[in-house]
Amino acid sequence: MSFHRRGVLKASLGLAGLGVGGLGAGGLGYGGIPRAMAADMPGPAVPADLVAAAKKEGQINVITLPRDWANWGATMDRFQALYGVKLDDANPDGSSAEELQAIRSLKSQSRAPDVVDVGPSFAAAGTKETLFQPYKVATWNDIPADVKDAGGLWYGDYFGVESFAVNTNVAKTVPQTWADLKKPDYKGMIALNGNPLGAGAAFGAVFAAALANGGSYDDIAPGIEFFGELARLGNLNPAVASPASLIAGQTPVVINWDYLSLGYKKQAEGKAVIEVLVPKEAPPYGNFYCQAISAYAPHPNTAKLWMEYVYSDEGQLAFLGGFAHPIRFNALVAAGKVPEALLKTLPPADAYKDVKFATQEQAAKAQKTLQDMWPRVVKI
Amino acid sequence: MILAWFFIGLFIAVSAAFMLAPTVMLAIQSVVGDDGLTLEFIQSLGDYRYRVAFQNSLVLSVASATVGVIAGGLIAHAVLKPGAPGWLRATVTSFSAVAANFAGVPLAFAFISTLGSLGLLTQLLKGWGLDLYGNGFSLYSISGLTLVYSYFQVPLMVIIVTPAIEALRPAWREAADSLGANGSQYWRMVGLPVLAPSLLSGWILLFGSAFSAYATAYALTSGNIGLVTTEISNVLSGNVMASPQTGAALSVGMIVVMVGVLALSALLARRAARWMPHR
């Protein structure tokens, strides 16, 4: 069961570099901070003794953080510049499974990972195996309870939700709700990025449709029925949606993670106008990633400082530069800490208010139902 | 002699490493579960979705191989006919060499852009009053997939059958003519019996290439028309669920089908060659 494997998210890193450079056009560097000032801007408030201890250690080993993913490149550069520690990013294109394996196999070595960034199922596995050590960041209370370990062994750092990406050159009226997708205007237009039994975003799309049609995290069946009806109506286009098919207009309505949709929108500039929205009938369906400190971290203080930075306002806002929503997003919006210019590049913030996530058990149960029902119900 | 044995040994070693060993490993993997030996995965092949997948794969492979053999054979015959212009032959041969290798996602995308529900050609024909999709055509169906597969199957057949057609000696035709045979008699009694083994092995090759194809069908239908190959990918490299043993069981099923088809063809080939003098 590797639903949250990093491969899901990176499936379309054709977006390489878009995240970081993406907002530059609007005069913004990462995190909505003007690029020119970023280097000599003061960092976030972090405990001084932690900084001192980290400087003494002088090094941090992170693992599997792609520079062009979720703006990690900017975050890593900024961390090194602020605290003067050397940062090594091992195996940037690896998987969650490989991250845990690195903790196990490198245990006592100085090049062992200090912190990992893994999918929830791997965070749960690592907890069971006692691969992590607890630490609660200063902003701990802002992190929703369903995306953290109560003991502080791991906590979500960023998330995404299912969204509609609409090529408005072809779909003249943008569908606002799941119910809109059934309209005859969208004949042959609606596509997923693969089979829900194989592609994470497509699986999430079915779950999201279930939430909007009387289902729940324990009942994905209404979502399957919904897609069955789209297929009957001829609205479901069974081709696999890709950035190219969206931008060229062959699959003008694609249900996908918001961070991918927003990337495609950026990619399409000058070729097609892509609108990205989060339908509002039901709380959006989301997925998230988790940070955790290794139980065998060779630089434990720097690891804690890293956590403080990543969960600080500045560290969290940086994720938005890579189109990923920081886990403290709702708290930051409520406190008015997200720059207006940055908000404008995203779907309206209130759509994210009630975001919820499936538990491992719920996801497993849904897969079983899907495997059994999908081929019977969704006939193209 | 020693050199010959050296190469035969090399061949056996390579086959063992790249064909026999993986087959054995797949077979073992398909019967070993978390708690020892189990038939659970082999039994799961009887599930509705996998039954449908095997059925779809078989129908698609038989249909596209048959279309390929007939169309490819006729095209090759037409361009190789004594009176056919040389440029035509050169064009068809070089086009075939390119098209036979054009498959996978680019091929699917090409068809989606032209004949998809929002494709250029579809829209153009609609403008002229011919609504393809309104009249029951769909690129995203077994017949649509057969059409797409034909795009590489037909040229592939042209390439593999050309030498066999070239080997038909003009003297045979002349002999048949002088004995009073008409065209259809010549083909029924001389041409096709001579070509039969080549056509049969061509069909097997096309069947195999369609049966094992994956990317084109997935890109076109997202696996909504389940094929054995797309089901294997779902359980093997998908991000939603992983069940390598089911994948192994499906692969073993594919091997069984291929072995069955080969055995059947060997039988047919022997029958087809019965008229030949013992060599």
Side-chain angles (χ1 to χ4, degrees):
Chain A
M1 250 236 354
S2 55
F3 167 54
H4 286 286
R5 209 181 59 179
R6 189 178 288 274
V8 186
L9 301 173
K10 295 207 304 201
S12 52
L13 275 183
L15 305 175
L18 275 177
V20 186
L23 291 166
L28 295 168
Y30 61 88
I33 300 153
R35 194 181 289 279
M37 284 172 61
D40 40 274
M41 258 190 56
V46 285
D49 52 337
L50 206 52
V51 176
K55 279 199 168 135
K56 219 161 155 195
E57 288 172 355
Q59 163 94 20
I60 183 164
N61 301 338
V62 299
I63 183 169
T64 308
L65 300 182
R67 290 193 65 83
D68 52 13
W69 178 251
N71 222 0
W72 280 122
T75 300
M76 290 189 286
D77 291 347
R78 176 78 168 148
F79 184 78
Q80 294 185 80
L82 273 178
Y83 306 112
V85 293
K86 188 170 170 294
L87 181 147
D88 276 335
D89 182 16
N91 191 14
D93 295 318
S95 66
S96 291
E98 287 166 354
E99 294 183 54
L100 294 190
Q101 190 50 42
I103 297 187
R104 288 183 206 111
S105 56
L106 298 177
K107 260 175 196 168
S108 53
Q109 302 184 26
S110 64
R111 63 196 176 99
D114 288 303
V115 287
V116 292
D117 186 42
V118 294
S121 61
F122 293 92
T127 303
K128 222 166 127 190
E129 246 186 275
T130 58
L131 295 180
F132 307 142
Q133 58 175 292
Y135 180 73
K136 289 186 181 176
V137 288
T139 51
W140 174 258
N141 291 332
D142 275 2
I143 305 171
D146 58 346
V147 291
K148 63 185 175 190
D149 172 66
L153 285 170
W154 56 263
Y155 19 114
D157 49 355
Y158 58 89
F159 71 97
V161 303
E162 287 290 344
S163 67
F164 297 170
V166 184
N167 182 330
T168 56
N169 301 38
V170 181
K172 304 285 182 212
T173 25
V174 176
Q176 298 295 327
T177 61
W178 288 92
D180 280 353
L181 296 182
K182 292 185 193 168
K183 290 183 180 165
D185 308 6
Y186 305 112
K187 227 173 179 52
M189 288 194 184
I190 300 153
L192 299 173
N193 78 330
N195 192 286
L197 288 167
F203 178 75
V206 181
F207 234 139
L211 300 183
N213 287 280
S216 69
Y217 283 90
D218 292 303
D219 181 16
I220 196 174
I224 304 171
E225 300 285 355
F226 177 82
F227 277 95
E229 193 175 351
L230 286 188
R232 260 196 306 285
L233 295 167
N235 287 14
L236 184 66
N237 186 328
V240 174
S242 62
S245 72
L246 171 69
I247 295 166
Q250 305 302 338
T251 58
V253 181
V254 179
I255 307 168
N256 207 338
W257 298 123
D258 57 348
Y259 41 81
L260 296 181
S261 297
L262 289 164
Y264 300 162
K265 177 181 170 177
K266 187 88 199 162
Q267 202 178 342
E269 267 171 21
K271 293 178 221 152
V273 178
I274 307 287
E275 196 160 308
V276 178
L277 67 110
V278 178
K280 285 191 200 156
E281 289 141 296
Y285 178 85
N287 77 348
F288 63 101
Y289 262 83
C290 313
Q291 283 281 322
I293 303 181
S294 163
Y296 310 96
H299 316 100
N301 292 308
T302 320
K304 287 170 189 165
L305 179 64
W306 167 262
M307 295 299 250
E308 290 294 351
Y309 177 74
V310 169
Y311 287 85
S312 70
D313 294 356
E314 183 189 312
Q316 289 275 292
L317 287 174
F319 284 122
L320 285 171
F323 303 128
H325 274 65
I327 210 77
R328 291 176 52 222
F329 182 70
N330 289 323
L332 288 170
V333 171
K337 285 178 174 163
V338 187
E340 207 52 45
L342 194 57
L343 274 179
K344 266 195 220 142
T345 64
L346 306 166
D350 55 334
Y352 291 83
K353 240 183 192 149
D354 305 311
V355 62
K356 284 219 170 58
F357 308 90
T359 63
Q360 295 310 306
E361 295 74 32
Q362 287 167 330
K365 190 178 157 208
Q367 284 159 21
K368 269 209 146 59
T369 313
L370 196 63
Q371 196 174 14
D372 187 51
M373 264 181 83
W374 184 269
R376 289 173 203 269
V377 175
V378 184
K379 303 226 177 204
I380 53 160
Chain B
M1 197 56 202
I2 293 175
L3 202 64
W5 279 110
F6 171 75
F7 282 107
I8 292 171
L10 211 59
F11 170 75
I12 293 174
V14 169
S15 326
F18 294 101
M19 215 166 81
L20 283 177
T23 309
V24 171
M25 282 192 286
L26 277 175
I28 294 173
Q29 199 184 8
S30 67
V31 291
V32 179
D34 292 338
D35 325 299
L37 287 180
T38 171
L39 279 179
E40 169 192 353
F41 303 108
I42 298 284
Q43 269 166 359
S44 74
L45 295 188
D47 287 359
Y48 174 77
R49 64 178 298 120
Y50 297 138
R51 280 206 317 269
V52 170
F54 270 100
Q55 192 186 324
N56 286 343
S57 278
L58 278 174
V59 171
L60 177 60
S61 309
V62 169
S64 69
T66 309
V67 169
V69 166
I70 295 174
L74 289 176
I75 291 172
H77 169 62
V79 301
L80 292 173
K81 261 211 293 231
W87 61 265
L88 183 66
R89 181 185 171 172
T91 314
V92 169
T93 319
S94 33
F95 171 78
S96 296
V98 175
N101 291 301
F102 186 49
V105 179
L107 177 66
F109 195 70
F111 268 90
I112 293 168
S113 331
T114 46
L115 277 171
S117 47
L118 299 169
L120 273 176
L121 200 59
T122 314
Q123 299 292 342
L124 197 70
L125 290 173
K126 211 173 184 174
W128 292 344
L130 176 61
D131 185 1
L132 285 179
Y133 281 75
N135 286 305
F137 171 81
S138 171
L139 192 59
Y140 320 108
S141 61
I142 290 277
S143 47
L145 280 175
T146 306
L147 176 74
V148 176
Y149 275 36
S150 301
Y151 189 87
F152 59 85
Q153 296 278 57
V154 173
L156 186 59
M157 188 63 191
V158 170
I159 293 173
I160 56 186
V161 85
T162 295
I165 293 185
E166 279 176 333
L168 286 177
R169 292 189 210 148
W172 297 343
R173 181 72 198 241
E174 285 155 17
D177 287 348
S178 67
L179 289 170
N182 60 25
S184 78
Q185 276 172 321
Y186 162 73
W187 279 112
R188 191 157 45 85
M189 298 161 106
V190 181
L192 283 179
V194 174
L195 283 181
S198 313
L199 293 179
L200 193 65
S201 48
W203 190 89
I204 302 288
L205 193 71
L206 298 197
F207 178 91
S209 90
F211 197 60
S212 59
Y214 154 70
T216 315
Y218 188 79
L220 266 172
T221 69
S222 303
N224 281 320
I225 291 187
L227 299 179
V228 186
T229 42
T230 58
E231 295 297 339
I232 292 177
S233 124
N234 277 346
V235 291
L236 228 51
S237 59
N239 297 312
V240 176
M241 51 180 195
S243 171
Q245 295 99 331
T246 310
L250 286 164
S251 310
V252 170
M254 283 185 82
I255 293 170
V256 169
V257 170
M258 263 335 273
V259 168
V261 169
L262 282 170
L264 197 69
S265 77
L267 209 71
L268 283 171
R270 206 178 305 158
R271 283 189 67 111
R274 210 184 274 164
W275 59 272
M276 286 188 199
H278 291 288
R279 281 174 290 187

